[in-house]
Amino acid sequence: MDRGGWYAVMNGFDDANIFQTWDFGRIAHPGRDLSHIVLRRDGQPVAAAQLLVRRVPGIGGIALVMWGPLWRPKGRPADPANFLAIMEAMKAEYSVRRGLFLRVLPRVEDGAGEGARALSTMEALGMRHSDAKAPYRTFIMDLTRDEATIHKDLSRHWRRGLAKAEGAGLEVVEGSSPEILDAIDDLFIQTQRRKGFRAFDSRTLTKVHRALPDGMKMHAVMASHNGEPVAGVVVSLLGDTALMQNSATAEAGLPLNAAFLVHWKAMQWVKANGGKRYDLHGVNAQANPGVHLFKRGFAGKGEEERVFIGTFEAPGPMLSRLLVEGGQTVRTLAATCTAQASQMMAMAMNKGPSERADATTPSNPAPSNPA
């Protein structure tokens, strides 16, 4: 299947997301082959997935599904049978026939109903739960409410912060221009240096943005003060659920509450463009309580933290399993050492954990590269 063919399939699903795009796979994972599987009923796609495949000749390899499979066709009720069918097909094709280590990160929330059925499917297929990456946790805004209700349901802290930002004389620009995303990337790098944390390289997503077709590009909102960018947020809307992809606040933007304004504007854009839900892209109450408080207040009254079902694996033949798990152990050790070194450096500069969290530091990013 070529790029155009995959996008024609993908655009027919409510659960489409940027991690399943051809351009994300090609740019963010250049060492992997893209493979696609589509299930049809009466000629129409009912489930599909893009897999990132890495092979080692004579040994095996891994097939990774990031925030897939897609199984909620537009205009039709979600059918759990579609999820079961595509999982069965992926295991048969990639784990059994090709002898690969299959790793799947479904975009499915835990709990009763959908989550319970998905977990039952995984168990029935012999897919094991992986502890390699903690389950994704986030807040998701309900955008089916009218804007007045969304505003009323904000926490009191959030309403005050937004009012202050609206009166701070901030200039706001928004759109899909790569130049806006480049400026927000610069803010993100500043935030990383100021706070001493290690995270994904947001410039990779900007490269993906440049490559995406016009109808699939991300949307950026940036606030400036006295001509200098002070806060920005980038969102992706594919299907019916938007995802906050990147956000950052310069030190000069903190007393202006600039983050409140750009996040509010981004939500307005998502709602105006048909988004029904807005995923605020990860929280971790222990590691980053400031961001957790900010996103909880933004999500609104009565909204609870959502937890997803996590990562599942079909290990495949022994050689593929040893290849993946051995490499994973080395990477985990290296990441731990790097994180400890970064923390020590930040503390030496008096910018370590004691610094208060600003509202836009990413805390539990959704799928990076778990393999």
Side-chain angles (χ1 to χ4, degrees), residues 197-218:
F197 67 85
R198 180 176 179 268
F200 68 96
D201 188 343
S202 64
R203 291 169 295 188
T204 298
L205 284 172
T206 300
K207 292 177 184 177
V208 173
H209 171 80
R210 291 175 185 271
L212 285 169
D214 286 344
M216 302 177 75
K217 289 188 182 295
M218 297 185 288

Side-chain angles (χ1 to χ4, degrees), residues 8-347:
V9 169
M10 186 179 162
N11 285 331
F13 287 89
D14 278 333
D15 49 347
N17 63 84
I18 196 167
F19 299 108
Q20 280 285 295
T21 63
W22 182 288
D23 295 296
F24 179 85
R26 180 177 60 83
I27 293 170
H29 299 273
R32 303 197 185 206
D33 297 325
L34 303 186
S35 184
H36 301 87
I37 184 169
V38 181
L39 299 186
R40 302 177 188 271
R41 184 177 299 128
D42 299 326
Q44 297 300 312
V46 295
Q50 173 174 279
L51 297 93
L52 307 172
V53 177
R54 176 178 291 162
R55 297 180 180 88
V56 176
I59 298 179
I62 182 170
L64 171 66
V65 184
M66 298 181 66
W67 270 20
L70 310 179
W71 59 282
R72 301 185 183 96
K74 289 182 178 179
R76 282 176 276 180
D79 184 352
N82 295 338
F83 183 80
L84 172 60
I86 190 71
M87 288 303 307
E88 286 179 329
M90 286 195 297
K91 184 178 180 184
E93 175 63 23
Y94 295 95
S95 180
V96 177
R97 194 181 78 80
R98 302 194 193 187
L100 300 173
F101 187 113
L102 175 63
R103 178 172 284 168
V104 184
L105 290 78
R107 194 181 187 185
V108 177
E109 293 177 36
D110 202 352
E114 182 179 290
R117 287 191 293 268
L119 290 173
S120 177
T121 293
M122 297 303 192
E123 183 178 356
L125 292 174
M127 301 280 289
R128 70 182 190 186
H129 189 269
S130 171
D131 296 326
K133 183 176 175 65
Y136 179 61
R137 311 177 77 92
T138 191
F139 286 102
I140 298 178
M141 295 184 73
D142 174 14
L143 300 188
T144 62
R145 301 168 293 167
D146 61 68
E147 190 172 308
T149 301
I150 293 174
H151 188 276
K152 178 175 66 69
D153 287 345
L154 297 172
S155 70
R156 182 164 55 181
H157 168 73
W158 230 96
R159 290 196 301 272
R160 288 176 176 173
L162 179 59
K164 180 178 179 180
E166 289 174 329
L170 295 166
E171 305 94 36
V172 176
V173 294
E174 55 183 300
S176 59
S177 164
E179 289 73 23
I180 303 177
L181 276 79
D182 288 339
I184 295 173
D185 287 338
D186 290 340
L187 286 174
F188 186 72
I189 293 170
Q190 292 175 32
T191 302
Q192 284 183 291
R193 290 172 178 168
R194 185 180 78 245
K195 298 183 66 62
F197 67 85
R198 180 176 179 268
F200 68 96
D201 188 343
S202 64
R203 291 169 295 188
T204 298
L205 284 172
T206 300
K207 292 177 184 177
V208 173
H209 171 80
R210 291 175 185 271
L212 285 169
D214 286 344
M216 302 177 75
K217 289 188 182 295
M218 297 185 288
H219 185 78
V221 182
M222 185 176 71
S224 298
H225 189 252
N226 295 329
E228 292 295 323
V230 292
V233 61
V234 180
V235 299
S236 172
L237 176 58
L238 303 175
D240 64 4
T241 301
L243 175 66
M244 182 196 302
Q245 293 291 166
N246 182 26
S247 61
T249 306
E251 193 162 11
L254 297 177
L256 301 171
N257 283 0
F260 290 82
L261 184 59
V262 294
H263 282 278
W264 180 256
K265 293 285 189 182
M267 180 280 298
Q268 289 178 314
W269 178 86
V270 171
K271 182 172 175 60
N273 283 272
K276 296 179 180 178
R277 307 197 314 166
Y278 184 21
D279 183 341
L280 301 184
H281 201 167
V283 292
N284 187 320
Q286 286 70 45
N288 207 330
V291 170
H292 188 276
L293 179 66
F294 178 87
K295 292 183 178 181
R296 181 167 194 158
F298 188 27
K301 182 170 58 181
E303 182 56 63
E304 298 297 327
E305 185 176 314
R306 313 287 184 96
V307 182
F308 284 56
I309 64 173
T311 304
F312 289 83
E313 300 169 341
M318 181 61 72
L319 287 177
S320 284
R321 181 166 59 187
L322 291 174
L323 176 71
V324 173
E325 293 179 345
Q328 185 172 285
T329 300
V330 172
R331 281 192 299 274
T332 300
L333 178 61
T336 300
C337 292
T338 301
Q340 290 175 345
S342 297
Q343 186 179 45
M344 291 173 66
M345 180 68 74
M347 293 176 69

